[in-house]
Amino acid sequence: MDRVLLAHGSGGLMSQQLVEEIFKKEWNNSYLEPMLDGALLDLPAGRVVMTTDSFVITPLFFPGGDIGKLSICGTVNDLVACGAKPLFLSTALIIEEGLPMSDLIKIAQSMARTAREAGVQLVTGDTKVVEKGSADGIFINTTGIGVIAEGIDYRPQRIQPGDLVVVSGTMGDHGLAIMARREGLSFSTPVNSDCAPLFRIGQVLEAFGGNVRCMRDPTRGGLATVLNELARQSGRGIKVVEEDIPVNPAVAGACDMLGMDPLYMANEGKMVIVLAPERAAEILAELQKIDIAAEAAIIGEVRAEPAGLVLIETELGAERILGILEGEHVPRIC
């Protein structure tokens, strides 16, 4: 069959064939092999972190990734942001009747490939099929489990005045790539999504213990929204310098043309990291040694005042408030 049918969600023979011939084949591992109603996991010592996310993106395939890769990266990166080593993922797929079977296979393969890259295992899952028109091709939920090593404690409440704010790379690539593909836009320099699992950033930072105050991945709402969240949750002020924020020239040019701001565009392969100033330069140098953070940069610092607000120093040297995202910027980007 070349398309998913409602019968594939019936729980009967066709459901079993879908699971066996696509998902179990692509994701097979010792935890999944018994095909129980849940996975029996072996966890190392440490605090356990659990996170969950759902992915509803249009289009399903885009420059630099697809909804399968995105679903793995998004949950892995949430675990990394908590300071955890990602270990296991579960997934639930809501598939629209009529989805090409070839697309479903590509998505399952992409999930398997990205999970292997990130060092995690897909250990349990669920599949539902809904009537045509009830979904947008496919929706994916992933839940992740990881373990935090002793000495790691990433929380906004640990942020102190004088701490430095780092981003691991250019801002806005994912949001612009999705919008361009959706709207049929083309640029002289193509823009790809930055979608990537960031476990290596976690590995680098683990060695610096308490010198890492907090991490967040700037997905929906972009850098500006994450900075505002950190300022509000920590009760501190944050000032960033516009010229120090790395932005791909192609993204900057496209945003200027379209009247958009890359600081509010989604990212799926970047981290915002708050560091103690004493070892910030050393940590930055270590981050820049790995390809996914080669363009990492210090973009600002934490202040006592104005508490809960983010200021940005513009290219003209003036300061203004960098507010949180209000309303939609680019819909259905993750």
Side-chain angles (χ1 to χ4, degrees):
M1 294 181 186
D2 62 352
R3 292 188 178 272
V4 176
L5 306 177
L6 278 177
H8 284 114
S10 67
L13 179 61
M14 291 182 69
S15 293
Q16 293 176 14
Q17 290 174 335
L18 190 74
V19 170
E20 292 281 343
E21 296 174 8
I22 296 180
F23 304 121
K24 186 179 179 184
K25 175 185 174 183
E26 299 297 340
W27 304 342
N28 195 30
N29 56 69
S30 60
Y31 293 99
L32 184 64
E33 178 63 32
M35 297 298 287
L36 304 176
D37 284 345
L40 304 178
L41 305 178
D42 300 307
L43 294 176
R47 287 177 295 158
V48 175
V49 179
M50 181 176 180
T51 186
T52 191
D53 206 345
S54 297
F55 299 87
V56 290
I57 190 167
T58 303
L60 298 179
F61 299 89
F62 48 85
D66 56 75
I67 191 172
K69 180 180 181 180
L70 182 65
S71 69
I72 303 299
C73 292
T75 298
V76 164
N77 294 347
D78 283 346
L79 292 171
V80 172
C82 293
K85 176 183 179 181
L87 297 173
F88 302 110
L89 297 179
S90 73
T91 186
L93 300 95
I94 299 176
I95 307 167
E96 183 181 18
E97 175 190 16
L99 180 75
M101 198 66 75
S102 59
D103 285 355
L104 184 60
I105 292 170
K106 289 177 185 176
I107 290 166
Q109 291 173 338
S110 180
M111 294 175 74
R113 185 168 54 249
T114 308
R116 286 194 297 270
E117 179 186 349
V120 297
Q121 296 186 82
L122 285 154
V123 295
T124 188
D126 181 58
T127 302
K128 295 291 187 295
V129 179
V130 297
E131 293 86 352
K132 190 171 183 61
S134 298
D136 196 2
I138 184 172
F139 298 156
I140 301 178
N141 172 272
T142 45
T143 295
I145 292 177
V147 173
I148 298 178
E150 187 175 353
I152 303 299
D153 184 16
Y154 299 165
R155 292 179 293 117
Q157 293 74 20
R158 296 185 61 246
I159 295 174
Q160 300 295 323
D163 288 346
L164 298 180
V165 180
V166 168
V167 294
S168 66
T170 55
M171 295 289 103
D173 300 52
H174 178 72
L176 188 68
I178 296 303
M179 187 190 69
R181 176 55 60 92
R182 183 184 299 140
E183 301 301 330
L185 302 175
S186 61
F187 308 108
S188 57
T189 302
V191 176
N192 290 333
S193 168
D194 60 351
C195 184
L198 301 179
F199 63 99
R200 284 180 291 168
I201 289 179
Q203 291 171 345
V204 168
L205 297 179
E206 183 177 347
F208 293 93
N211 290 283
V212 182
R213 308 292 199 204
C214 185
M215 270 205 294
R216 287 283 171 85
D217 54 336
T219 53
R220 285 176 296 176
L223 174 64
T225 297
V226 162
L227 291 175
N228 275 274
E229 291 174 352
L230 293 176
R232 185 179 69 252
Q233 292 171 1
S234 67
R236 310 295 187 183
I238 295 176
K239 179 188 173 183
V240 296
V241 179
E242 187 173 21
E243 287 186 316
D244 293 340
I245 300 172
V247 179
N248 182 327
V251 172
C255 285
D256 284 344
M257 179 180 68
L258 298 169
M260 306 186 77
D261 189 337
L263 303 189
Y264 292 94
M265 303 286 280
N267 311 272
E268 289 293 346
K270 303 291 167 31
M271 281 287 181
V272 178
I273 312 164
V274 184
L275 302 174
E278 294 80 13
R279 301 189 71 183
E282 181 185 357
I283 296 172
L284 182 65
E286 290 300 312
L287 286 170
Q288 290 171 340
K289 292 178 181 178
I290 57 177
D291 57 355
I292 56 172
E295 296 181 87
I298 296 172
I299 64 168
E301 65 177 358
V302 177
R303 297 175 166 183
E305 300 292 341
L309 290 180
V310 179
L311 301 178
I312 184 167
E313 181 181 313
T314 69
E315 294 179 356
L316 299 177
E319 288 186 2
R320 64 175 176 86
I321 293 175
L322 184 66
I324 197 168
L325 176 67
E326 297 182 9
E328 288 283 357
H329 197 240
V330 178
R332 302 181 73 82
I333 45 75
C334 65

